[in-house]
Amino acid sequence: MTYIHPSAIVEKGAELGSGVRIGPFCYVKGDVVLGDDVELISHVTILDGTRLGAGCQVYPNAVLGGAPQNYKHKGGRTTLEVGSGCVIRESVTMHCGTDTSRGKTTVGNNCLFMAQSHVAHDCSVGDNVTMANNSALSGHVDIANNVIISGYAAVHQFVRVGHHAFLGGFAAVVGDVIPYGMAVGDRATLRGLNVVGMKRSGMSHSKVMEIRKAYKMLFDPARTLAETIPVVREAFADSPEVLDIVNFLAVREKRQFTVPPRRGHTGTDEDDGGEE
């Protein structure tokens, strides 16, 4: 049974799935869709254009579907689309897209957004992503599956973060982070690979070592990425994991910057320090 607390306001036109629970002092606008078994615990604001998938749980003071903080937005209808099974903790904010750009912000399934984290306009967030307390994504950021973003980390607009990457606490990420990469610091540099995350995902030791070898070849300080990419592509043609990294680097736009390894570091002495 759907339950709406007497103190909550749900505007006419809102679509509520089976088993939705809306707690005290929540506010749900009319152009909102809440999937089955969504729970708004209390004091949650869901604004126009927001879609929450089944089983999402939203904690107090979260505001979802706010207008984009973008001067280029002309006031047109845009959306925020959140997948199923997401946990959105206290005071999280997520904004809709911009009507002069992508037009929507999307979040995948089974993500965890810890207290006061922020997802800006026109972002694309994959499945099984964790954003820790006070971390933030600027506009137009692409976060792939299984990424972990530590507390207070901030990601610059238009940056891409590859799958299974790890961003350390307080990291200021101003460039693209390769799949499996571990980016730490201000401005963030690569400190090797997220070996802990790779192992937890079920990756074999031999596969981890293969990717580490490819990483060292890619970021050979004596050569440019333009020189190493074709070499690594040929040497690891039978490794889908390595090719993921190579292809990620190969599709960079000219204005995009890839987070490099720390000067003089080739990923041989700190890889196993990555925590999740």
Side-chain angles (χ1 to χ4, degrees), residues 184-220:
V184 179
D186 178 13
R187 291 329 194 221
T189 55
L190 289 176
R191 303 295 178 91
L193 299 169
N194 179 21
V195 173
V196 171
M198 294 160 75
K199 291 178 178 177
R200 288 179 179 174
S201 72
M203 186 175 290
S204 67
H205 176 74
S206 61
K207 181 61 67 174
V208 171
M209 297 306 295
E210 177 182 75
I211 298 173
R212 292 178 78 171
K213 181 179 179 181
Y215 175 95
K216 292 169 67 175
M217 291 175 63
L218 274 170
F219 295 105
D220 181 350

Side-chain angles (χ1 to χ4, degrees), residues 22-34:
I22 299 177
F25 302 104
C26 292
Y27 178 39
V28 180
K29 293 280 285 182
D31 183 15
V32 167
V33 176
L34 304 182

Side-chain angles (χ1 to χ4, degrees), residues 205-268:
H205 176 74
S206 61
K207 181 61 67 174
V208 171
M209 297 306 295
E210 177 182 75
I211 298 173
R212 292 178 78 171
K213 181 179 179 181
Y215 175 95
K216 292 169 67 175
M217 291 175 63
L218 274 170
F219 295 105
D220 181 350
R223 296 187 290 179
T224 66
L225 275 175
E227 294 171 325
T228 61
I229 284 174
V231 174
V232 173
R233 187 189 297 279
E234 181 177 357
F236 295 89
D238 296 327
S239 173
E241 294 81 5
V242 172
L243 291 179
D244 276 347
I245 300 174
V246 171
N247 292 334
F248 181 92
L249 292 169
V251 299
R252 293 177 301 156
E253 297 180 12
K254 290 183 179 180
R255 60 185 169 82
Q256 287 180 305
F257 166 76
T258 299
V259 171
R262 190 178 59 180
R263 183 175 298 179
H265 179 65
T266 57
T268 58

Side-chain angles (χ1 to χ4, degrees), residues 33 37 49 60 79 88 98 100 109-110 118 121-122 124 140 145 153 155 182 191 193 195 197 202 237 247 252 268:
V33 176
D37 300 313
T79 60
I88 300 171
T98 304
T100 57
N109 302 316
N110 302 312
H118 174 66
H121 60 87
D122 303 289
S124 174
H140 308 278
N145 296 341
V155 183
M182 182 170 64
R191 303 295 178 91
L193 299 169
V195 173
N247 292 334
R252 293 177 301 156
T268 58

Side-chain angles (χ1 to χ4, degrees), residues 9-119:
I9 297 174
V10 179
E11 290 188 352
K12 183 179 180 180
E15 298 181 22
L16 309 182
S18 174
V20 168
R21 297 184 61 83
I22 299 177
F25 302 104
C26 292
Y27 178 39
V28 180
K29 293 280 285 182
D31 183 15
V32 167
V33 176
L34 304 182
D36 294 346
D37 300 313
V38 166
E39 181 181 14
L40 312 182
I41 292 177
S42 72
H43 297 84
V44 173
T45 300
I46 311 291
L47 298 174
D48 283 335
T50 302
R51 309 288 185 259
L52 293 184
C56 287
Q57 186 178 44
V58 188
Y59 281 71
N61 300 312
V63 180
L64 307 181
Q69 297 178 142
N70 187 344
Y71 285 122
K72 295 181 180 179
H73 183 61
K74 305 303 181 183
R77 182 186 180 279
T78 56
T79 60
L80 166 67
E81 302 170 9
V82 179
S84 62
C86 292
V87 177
I88 300 171
R89 294 300 301 260
E90 298 84 355
S91 300
V92 168
T93 52
M94 297 183 183
H95 291 169
C96 291
T98 304
D99 57 7
T100 57
S101 182
R102 186 167 178 254
K104 61 182 178 180
T105 301
T106 57
V107 173
N109 302 316
N110 302 312
C111 297
L112 169 60
F113 298 90
M114 298 186 193
Q116 298 181 316
S117 54
H118 174 66
V119 178

